[in-house]
Amino acid sequence: MASAGKAVIMNIHRPQGGKGTGMRSWDVFCKVVDNYGDAAVCWRLAQQLADAHGAPVRLWIDGIEVLHELCPDIVAEKSRQIVAGVEVCHWTQRSDFGAPADIVVDGFGGGLPEPYVEAMAQRSPPALWITLEYLSAEPWVAEHHGLPSRHPRLALERYFFFPGFSPGTGGLPREAGLEARRDEFQRDPVLQARFWKDLGFTPPNGEAIVTSVFGYSNPAVAEILDAWSSGSGPVVAAVPRGAARAPMGAYFGVIDPEDGTVLRRGSLEVRLLPFLPQQRYDELLWACDWNFVRGEDSFVRAQLAARPLVWHIYPQEARAHWVKLDAFLDAYCAELESAPGAALRALWHAWNDGGGNGTSGAPRVRAAWQAAEPHHERLRRHAQAWAARLAAVGDLAGNLAQFCEKRLK
Ligand code: TRH
């Protein structure tokens, strides 16, 4: 983990942006706390700033091996490399940061190296400091979005930038052309067949309900598999390598099954996939009827896939995550009729509560699935409308670039 101090700031000239060039320079700092999401969001933001705004962007990341899993073009052993227009810099205690950029993004408040902060203040004009916050649908987010805070000692302004689902927030990471690529894929059975074939599988047959499962460790996995295997119609569940893999294997009595394995029971066929590069994972989300996702970035990508989703929120102490879960459900279900809305809520709650038997004595997840699945067509149309609504909020990189341009002296 990189730490403050020790890093040497050498004023090596680097292409500065500067007013009027429209080409601001950016440094995005990402400390990988846990899992993939921190790296995933910072990587998307850096790419979108470079791609849509032609800006010189450096991504400083300590957990570069995580980034390699999301984007195999990134070589974990390299200290610096240009990928997708971004200068990917491995952030270590020996990093030489050079001169600070015009705009510095502190991903999820992970913190910046002290000497680098000093150099930010010595610039003329001082660098703009943005703290990119975690995503939440809670109502207070819009009130806090964009608020400034002066550095206690240095001539530096720091702004808190909140991604979000509604106007008045920073919007979501969403690259240009995403909707067109998604719609083309979802319209074209040849593209979908090629996706499955590239992974070594035949396309699921037309009557099957196709789902993807990416979540945290969850006792409810066995329950949803029971619901699918005992259901009246075929279900194909695609499961990339992750926390759900072990319980999946256990359900079928298989220890540590290989990628590419197909496991069957009753109406259920489980397909075990490798951990996919981000762009392939998008295609999986687009190819499915239901997507079980987690954290922050897959949660957003499933919404942008315009398909019904079930979110396994990152569990927090004292069940603090339930407030975030319900805040999103309130926003998401606001324009849904009560029956599909209530069914979706019940499924999300049962899934996040780890299943177990409800008051009726039946497993909650099975009952919730059986109540929600019949609403699939309505929920699919709603997911499409929701994705269109997100597009109207603008994308995170575009909103951030606009926000910063107004504040740079
Ligand atoms: O990995 P996560 O659990 O990360 C989470 C979030 O960052 C959350 O905010 C944070 O509090 C917590 O960690 C500590 O889930 P998330 O955010 O969905 O990130 C997973 C990324 O992995 C996402 O970009 C999708 C991508 N992915 C692939 O690229 N290929 C795959 O096969 C799969 C399953 C996921």
Side-chain angles (χ1 to χ4, degrees), residues 33-41 44 66 69-71 108 134-135 213-216 239-242 273-282 284-285 292-301 311-316 324:
V33 170
D34 195 353
N35 302 319
Y36 298 95
D38 306 314
V41 171
R44 284 194 202 283
V66 171
E69 286 196 75
L70 297 169
C71 174
F108 305 108
Y134 282 106
L135 176 63
V213 181
F214 175 53
Y216 300 109
V239 185
R241 183 173 284 280
L273 276 52
F275 190 85
L276 303 170
Q278 274 185 324
Q279 287 182 348
R280 298 294 266 169
Y281 181 60
D282 273 340
L284 175 63
L285 295 173
F292 288 65
V293 290
R294 76 183 205 191
E296 178 164 327
D297 195 55
S298 61
F299 171 49
V300 168
R301 299 310 280 189
W311 181 31
H312 194 176
I313 189 168
Y314 185 74
Q316 288 175 294
K324 282 180 75 166

Side-chain angles (χ1 to χ4, degrees), residues 233-315:
V235 174
V236 171
V239 185
R241 183 173 284 280
R245 174 64 62 90
M248 288 272 174
Y251 181 80
F252 291 93
V254 178
I255 309 290
D256 197 12
E258 294 287 306
D259 296 346
T261 305
V262 176
L263 301 167
R264 288 189 178 86
R265 180 184 294 180
S267 309
L268 172 61
E269 174 187 303
V270 169
R271 298 177 169 191
L272 300 183
L273 276 52
F275 190 85
L276 303 170
Q278 274 185 324
Q279 287 182 348
R280 298 294 266 169
Y281 181 60
D282 273 340
E283 291 174 343
L284 175 63
L285 295 173
W286 300 342
C288 290
D289 300 307
W290 287 86
N291 290 304
F292 288 65
V293 290
R294 76 183 205 191
E296 178 164 327
D297 195 55
S298 61
F299 171 49
V300 168
R301 299 310 280 189
Q303 292 171 64
L304 297 175
R307 291 287 163 85
L309 69 157
V310 179
W311 181 31
H312 194 176
I313 189 168
Y314 185 74

